């Protein structure tokens, strides 16, 4: 019965447009996509925290190193940290090929291997939703920033239409809020089978395990509660963006409803003192 329902959901799911994502061809392509995103982020938001030239920057959850390279090429001394060894290996390869001087280390956002007030700026882009315990991670980021320094956050909240991070496979908006997990796994198996993936059941199970363990289900409301509990941080700028249609942006500020229409939370924080 579950298999038949999954096939039906699969056919309905194909009626939705495919989410436009880049860099899926290879690790190198993803690093290059990150690099383009990093350039765009700096051009749009650097006015809030100033030039990076000569400043110490921590890129926590650095991914595959593309954004990290942008910060270093802007004149900063940059340390990239990621919990995944494979990400660090690709980051070293990408920045090394560009001749970009960056230090990388494997580390956990909840227990950073740095002294207090070590950095002028901490960047956590596309990573806050992946920290196991964001209530512990954000105070830790604050600890390593100097007084007057900034934290630059950029994350996808749980209520987003794309909050599942499964959009490479399931197109239905809010699929993680609509479908039970057993059904999502069955749909993933159908998708992978149609793609000709070997062992689609095993791969679907792996993707669902990543879904369960790799996302902390942070909402905008939870993020705001964490900020309230970290009084050393004040918000300089916050931008709640819908995932696609800009005219929906006013809905992002509506209590409860806004959780479903906020695709991205951008926050720039300043450490007091």
């Amino acid at each position: 019965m579950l298999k038949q329902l999954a096939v039906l959901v699969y056919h309905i799911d194909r009626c939705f447009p495919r989410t436009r994502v880049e860099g899926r061809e290879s690790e190198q392509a993803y690093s290059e996509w990150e690099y383009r995103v990093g350039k765009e982020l700096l051009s749009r938001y650097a006015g809030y925290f100033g030039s990076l030239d000569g400043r110490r920057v921590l890129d926590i959850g650095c991914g595959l190193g593309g954004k990290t390279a942008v910060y270093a090429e802007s004149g900063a001394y940059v340390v990239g940290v990621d919990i995944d060894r494979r990400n660090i290996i690709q980051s070293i390869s990408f920045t090394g090929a560009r001749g970009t001087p960056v230090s990388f280390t494997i580390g956990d956002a909840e227990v950073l291997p740095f002294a207090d007030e070590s950095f002028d700026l901490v960047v956590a882009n596309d990573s806050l939703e992946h920290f196991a315990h964001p209530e512990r991670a954000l105070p830790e980021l604050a600890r390593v920033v100097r007084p007057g320094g900034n934290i630059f956050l950029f994350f996808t909240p749980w209520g987003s239409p794309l909050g599942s991070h499964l959009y490479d496979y399931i197109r239905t908006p809010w699929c993680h809020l609509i479908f039970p997990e057993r059904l999502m796994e069955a749909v993933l198996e159908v998708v992978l089978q149609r793609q000709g993936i070997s062992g689609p059941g095993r791969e679907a199970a792996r993707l669902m395990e990543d879904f369960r363990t790799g996302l902390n289900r942070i909402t905008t409301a939870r993020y705001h509660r964490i900020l309230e509990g970290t009084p050393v941080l004040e918000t300089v700028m916050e931008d709640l963006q819908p995932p696609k249609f800009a005219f929906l942006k006013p809905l992002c500020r509506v209590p409860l409803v806004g959780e479903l229409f906020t695709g991205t939370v951008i926050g720039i924080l300043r450490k007091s003192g």
Side-chain angles (χ1 to χ4, degrees), residues 29-270:
Y30 197 85
S31 294
E32 291 170 355
W33 171 76
E34 286 184 330
Y35 185 85
R36 293 192 295 274
V37 170
K39 284 279 192 182
E40 180 182 346
L41 289 173
L42 276 191
S43 67
R44 185 177 301 176
Y45 297 107
Y48 291 98
F49 47 77
S51 170
L52 298 187
D53 191 29
R55 301 174 74 184
R56 291 178 56 85
V57 175
L58 172 63
D59 187 10
I60 181 71
C62 63
L64 302 190
K67 297 169 190 170
T68 323
V70 171
Y71 311 142
E73 291 173 8
S74 298
Y77 169 72
V78 186
V79 178
V81 176
D82 202 282
I83 201 168
D84 192 325
R85 179 182 178 84
R86 294 167 300 177
N87 289 354
I88 293 296
I89 291 172
Q90 171 58 21
S91 294
I92 292 171
S93 174
F94 180 74
T95 56
R98 297 183 63 85
T100 306
V102 180
S103 297
F104 288 101
T105 186
I106 299 170
D108 188 334
E110 296 179 26
V111 190
L112 293 171
F114 308 110
D116 296 355
E117 303 176 7
S118 297
F119 296 94
D120 301 299
L121 173 68
V122 172
V123 183
N125 287 342
D126 294 321
S127 56
L128 187 64
E129 70 268 44
H130 299 291
F131 296 157
H133 305 97
E135 287 83 0
R136 302 176 193 170
L138 192 57
E140 181 68 352
L141 302 189
R143 179 185 68 79
V144 300
V145 177
R146 65 168 177 81
N150 296 103
I151 297 175
F152 180 21
L153 302 170
F154 181 105
F155 70 95
T156 301
W158 178 248
S160 165
L162 305 179
S164 71
H165 286 58
L166 292 172
Y167 40 76
D168 285 322
Y169 308 96
I170 301 178
R171 302 177 184 180
T172 305
W174 301 288
C175 64
H176 56 304
L177 304 180
I178 298 171
F179 303 140
E181 288 189 10
R182 288 182 63 246
L183 178 56
M184 279 204 298
E185 183 170 339
V187 173
L188 283 171
E189 184 174 354
V190 174
V191 172
L192 294 165
Q193 187 175 45
R194 301 292 174 104
Q195 291 178 351
I197 302 298
S198 176
R202 291 191 302 273
E203 180 62 11
R206 184 193 68 79
L207 289 170
M208 283 305 297
E209 182 61 20
D210 287 347
F211 167 83
R212 296 186 188 99
T213 62
L215 295 170
N216 57 39
R217 308 194 177 196
I218 190 169
T219 61
T220 54
R222 182 180 173 190
Y223 165 66
H224 289 148
R225 289 195 297 270
I226 296 171
L227 280 180
E228 290 173 2
T230 315
V232 72
L233 295 176
E234 60 177 337
T235 299
V236 174
M237 186 280 298
E238 181 176 276
D239 189 13
L240 307 182
Q241 296 183 349
K244 188 173 182 180
F245 301 110
F247 70 86
L248 295 175
K249 189 169 183 175
L251 292 177
C252 295
R253 291 288 179 183
V254 178
L256 299 180
V257 172
E259 295 285 359
L260 299 176
F261 288 94
T262 301
T264 308
V265 177
I266 300 99
I268 296 175
L269 314 174
R270 179 184 293 119

